[in-house]
Amino acid sequence: MQHALILLGVLIAGMGLSVEAGLLGPLGEQVGHLSATLSIFMVGALLLSLALLFSPKRKLGALFKQPRWLLTGGVMGPMYVIVLTLATPLVGVGMTMVGILCGQVAASLAIDHFGWLGSERRQVDGYRLGALAMILAALWLM
Amino acid sequence: MLLPIVFALLLAGGAVLAAQSSINGRLGAHTGVLESAWLTFAVGAVLTFLLVLFFEPQHEATLFSVPKWQLTGALFGVVYMLAIVFAVPRVGTAAATVSVISGQLLMSLLIDHFGWLNNAERALDGSRYVAMVLLLLAIVLIYLSHRRSAHPAN
């Protein structure tokens, strides 16, 4: 039951991401795609800094005791944006979306299956392949 | 010749997103959800600032001159990052990724249907309704997969 609630929460967060993309596209046309991305990261970083400052239990120091590769999550957002900006004018939005989503779902299944990046192992099974097939079919229908 | 290279690049771009969820989730489990999300945005802001400084061509408008509501996308980005960092250690990278993607696609169908955010209206038709059902089914399947591995006896 708890897992169903978590999945629902993530689904709603994903809906928010589409709104973000809907705002970001036109903004990028006006001020440039890198600047539009900067607005997201900068406003986000500032808001979260304030939230951290006033959160009851903050463990910011713990960040610096982690292995360095665990701190690279922030490098990947900008990498994704660069790929997006390079690819969209060449192959169009539709093809770009399909390519990104395929890579995303396939990699997430592989990460769970092999336990990469220190994650808990979760085998690929019929259900998971079914979910992958549903997403691909939905993409094709849209 | 160009096409395979671009497509490989796109697959890598998607894979990077999945890796990001996984890494941030792991980090969040050690240091806290807020700390992990903060680091992602802080590092992202520093890198994108450098990219803008050196590579962004000149534009008529700037971030300071556009209407302020166009800058509210970050709110959704922050909520997304917090949700991912919380969810990944609990349900795994694949389940979180499938839920996010389903949410994104469902919302983009709704945005098209109602023409929200100044987009052209594209009404839901038969195939788009089927697409919505498939996306919801994908989440149900991921949930079932999790249930089965949690209770092997069933």
Side-chain angles (χ1 to χ4, degrees):
Chain A
M1 193 56 221
Q2 199 205 350
H3 279 97
L5 284 179
I6 293 177
L7 290 182
L8 185 69
V10 177
L11 177 87
I12 293 170
M15 293 175 89
L17 220 48
S18 267
V19 179
E20 182 191 285
L23 289 164
L24 211 53
L27 181 62
E29 297 297 318
Q30 295 173 54
V31 302
H33 291 287
L34 289 172
S35 297
T37 313
L38 176 63
S39 80
I40 298 282
F41 281 118
M42 205 169 56
V43 175
L46 294 174
L47 287 176
L48 284 168
S49 301
L50 282 177
L52 262 184
L53 210 54
F54 292 104
S55 82
K57 283 186 301 186
R58 45 176 185 239
K59 294 189 289 185
L60 210 51
L63 283 178
F64 302 102
K65 298 193 185 76
Q66 304 301 322
R68 290 295 176 265
W69 66 269
L70 263 187
L71 306 182
T72 55
V75 180
M76 294 173 175
M79 273 166 68
Y80 165 73
V81 176
I82 293 170
V83 168
L84 219 55
T85 348
L86 288 177
T88 317
L90 292 175
V91 296
V93 180
M95 181 78 163
T96 302
M97 280 285 288
V98 172
I100 292 281
L101 290 182
C102 287
Q104 204 179 346
V105 177
S108 72
L109 287 173
I111 288 171
D112 276 3
H113 184 75
F114 297 109
W116 285 339
L117 303 171
S119 58
E120 192 185 324
R121 289 182 73 148
R122 291 178 164 90
Q123 296 277 319
V124 170
D125 55 14
Y127 291 121
R128 284 171 175 248
L129 289 180
L132 178 61
M134 300 276 165
I135 288 199
L136 291 179
L139 263 180
W140 182 70
L141 283 171
M142 289 167 77
Chain B
M1 188 49 225
L2 186 66
L3 208 61
I5 300 177
V6 175
F7 206 70
L9 202 63
L10 287 172
L11 288 178
V16 155
L17 283 186
Q20 185 195 44
S21 301
S22 183
I23 290 178
N24 284 345
R26 173 93 190 281
L27 180 65
H30 290 308
T31 63
V33 171
L34 210 51
E35 284 80 356
S36 175
W38 173 81
L39 184 78
T40 306
F41 278 92
V43 173
V46 170
L47 283 178
T48 347
F49 184 77
L50 287 171
L51 287 171
V52 168
L53 211 52
F54 289 105
F55 295 109
E56 185 82 293
Q58 280 286 325
H59 282 76
E60 290 276 311
T62 69
L63 285 177
F64 294 96
S65 67
V66 295
K68 297 304 167 208
W69 65 267
Q70 289 197 298
L71 304 179
T72 52
L75 299 177
F76 300 99
V78 167
V79 170
Y80 159 75
M81 193 54 69
L82 291 172
I84 279 291
V85 174
F86 180 80
V88 162
R90 290 168 177 82
V91 301
T93 307
T97 302
V98 166
S99 303
V100 162
I101 290 175
S102 299
Q104 275 177 286
L105 295 180
L106 284 173
M107 192 62 175
S108 60
L109 287 173
L110 290 177
I111 290 175
D112 275 357
H113 181 68
F114 294 106
W116 288 331
L117 303 171
N118 295 334
N119 283 285
E121 269 186 52
R122 259 186 83 188
L124 285 168
D125 53 16
S127 65
R128 296 190 140 215
Y129 277 115
V130 177
M132 285 180 110
V133 173
L134 288 175
L135 292 171
L136 293 174
L137 275 177
I139 304 222
V140 172
L141 284 175
I142 277 282
Y143 176 65
L144 288 177
S145 159
H146 184 86
R147 279 265 304 256
R148 207 191 57 156
S149 58
H151 313 281
N154 300 350

